[in-house]
């Protein structure tokens, strides 16, 4: 089974913690290291991406926006040139976001790009966007990547929600009923993914799929977001179905 998403307080704590870990990884890597999980990116761009993302979420929530907010119109978007300055810039942005989300609570209605127009959506998105980029920074620095299992399970659910969004007529995850079962081995978490003619659909729980992947939750999250290969993991059934699904994801 899959537990409910993390509550609002846990998400706000995770924003602060993941930003701190990202800053530490960037300090270890330096600001000009290539990011192997995002070809063409260097760590300075990674830092700018997270700082922009968090400032964008903060502006949407703080102003109770009801329509799109342009990132280009936000203040304080230019990070310093040195690693210590970048770390402080990231922490400052995260602090401002946490203040806005604390004031709003999880249920304030605001614009979002997804199908969940609420401050709670932005809290969850900010956590997992920051976590994903923290993993990128640790890979760039050659550091070990460790993700709390409960946070990883929540991240799998979040990114599956993102993959299931359809906003055009050519969703890359459309299919003819191919199924993949994901099973976390170190925490409650199971998901059945189905590629339908309308795009990816998923439900929590146990079922038999064309292909299945059993692994610790952190490995499932990293595989789903293409931050880890399948090497050494327990793949059952038709591996080609799983390979095809992963080839069509993009984060």
């Amino acid at each position: 089974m899959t537990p409910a998403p993390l509550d609002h307080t846990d998400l706000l704590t995770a924003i602060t913690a993941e930003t701190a870990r990202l800053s530490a990884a960037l300090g270890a890597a330096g600001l000009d290291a290539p990011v192997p999980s995002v070809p063409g990116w260097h760590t300075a761009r990674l830092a700018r991406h997270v700082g922009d993302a968090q400032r964008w979420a903060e502006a949407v929530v703080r102003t109770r926006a009801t329509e799109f907010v342009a990132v280009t119109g936000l203040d304080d978007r230019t990070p310093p040139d040195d690693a210590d300055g970048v770390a402080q810039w990231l922490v400052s942005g995260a602090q401002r976001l946490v203040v806005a989300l604390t004031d709003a609570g999880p249920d304030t209605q605001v614009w979002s790009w997804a199908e969940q127009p609420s401050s709670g959506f932005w809290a969850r998105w900010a956590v997992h966007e920051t976590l994903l980029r923290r993993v990128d920074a640790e890979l760039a620095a050659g550091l070990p990547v460790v993700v709390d299992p409960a946070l990883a399970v929540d991240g799998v659910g979040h990114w599956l929600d993102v993959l299931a969004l359809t906003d055009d007529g050519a969703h890359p995850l459309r299919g003819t009923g191919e199924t993949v079962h994901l099973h976390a081995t170190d925490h409650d978490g199971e998901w059945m993914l189905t590629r339908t003619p309308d795009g990816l659909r998923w439900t929590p729980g146990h079922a038999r799929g064309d292909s299945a992947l059993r692994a610790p939750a952190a490995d499932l999250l990293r595989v789903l977001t293409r931050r880890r290969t399948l090497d050494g993991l327990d793949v059952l059934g038709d591996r080609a179905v799983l390979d095809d699904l992963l080839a069509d994801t993009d984060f």
Side-chain angles (χ1 to χ4, degrees):
M1 62 181 295
T2 298
L6 297 177
D7 68 25
H8 197 63
T9 299
D10 289 337
L11 292 173
L12 301 193
T13 299
I15 289 172
T16 300
E18 289 301 319
T19 303
R21 295 184 68 174
L22 167 64
S23 297
L26 290 171
L31 296 179
D32 59 354
V35 181
S37 47
V38 191
W41 281 35
H42 284 66
T43 40
R45 180 175 177 182
L46 189 66
R48 175 66 180 267
H49 175 87
V50 174
D52 273 354
Q54 292 187 350
R55 283 162 172 77
W56 185 41
E58 187 272 341
V60 170
V61 174
R62 173 176 47 80
T63 65
R64 307 296 193 263
T66 58
E67 58 186 26
F68 172 75
V69 173
V71 176
T72 53
L74 303 180
D75 295 331
D76 189 30
R77 287 191 60 224
T78 304
D81 295 329
D82 63 292
D84 288 343
V86 167
Q88 293 172 6
W89 179 77
L90 286 169
V91 168
S92 174
Q95 289 172 338
R96 288 163 48 188
L97 174 58
V98 168
V99 168
L101 289 167
T102 299
D103 183 57
D107 300 319
T108 297
Q109 294 296 291
V110 296
W111 173 87
S112 86
W113 52 266
E115 296 172 350
Q116 305 160 35
S118 70
S119 50
F121 163 81
W122 286 104
R124 195 179 188 212
W125 176 81
V127 167
H128 293 298
E129 184 65 28
T130 306
L131 167 60
L132 187 65
R133 303 310 172 181
R134 183 264 287 183
V135 169
D136 288 334
E138 289 177 340
L139 293 173
L143 296 173
V145 176
V146 178
V147 182
D148 175 76
L151 187 59
V153 164
D154 194 76
V156 171
H158 169 74
W159 291 117
L160 289 176
D161 284 344
V162 170
L163 289 173
L165 291 173
T166 55
D167 58 1
D168 58 35
H171 196 281
L173 288 169
R174 291 184 176 195
T176 57
E178 301 88 345
T179 56
V180 172
H181 177 236
L182 303 178
H183 184 177
T185 57
D186 59 346
H187 198 283
D188 285 341
E190 293 190 71
W191 305 262
M192 174 57 74
L193 288 56
T194 304
R195 299 180 74 159
T196 78
D198 295 322
L200 183 72
R201 298 292 178 263
W202 72 274
T203 56
H206 180 81
R208 184 179 181 86
D210 297 321
S211 182
L213 173 62
R214 291 173 45 88
D219 285 324
L220 293 181
L221 177 62
R222 290 180 60 192
V223 166
L224 180 65
T225 57
R226 299 201 302 199
R227 266 70 182 176
R228 190 199 191 287
T229 69
L230 292 169
D231 293 347
L233 300 181
D234 188 12
V235 179
L236 306 173
D238 187 350
R239 175 167 171 160
V241 174
L242 177 58
D243 286 336
D244 289 346
L245 173 73
L246 296 174
D248 287 336
T249 64
D250 184 17
F251 293 92

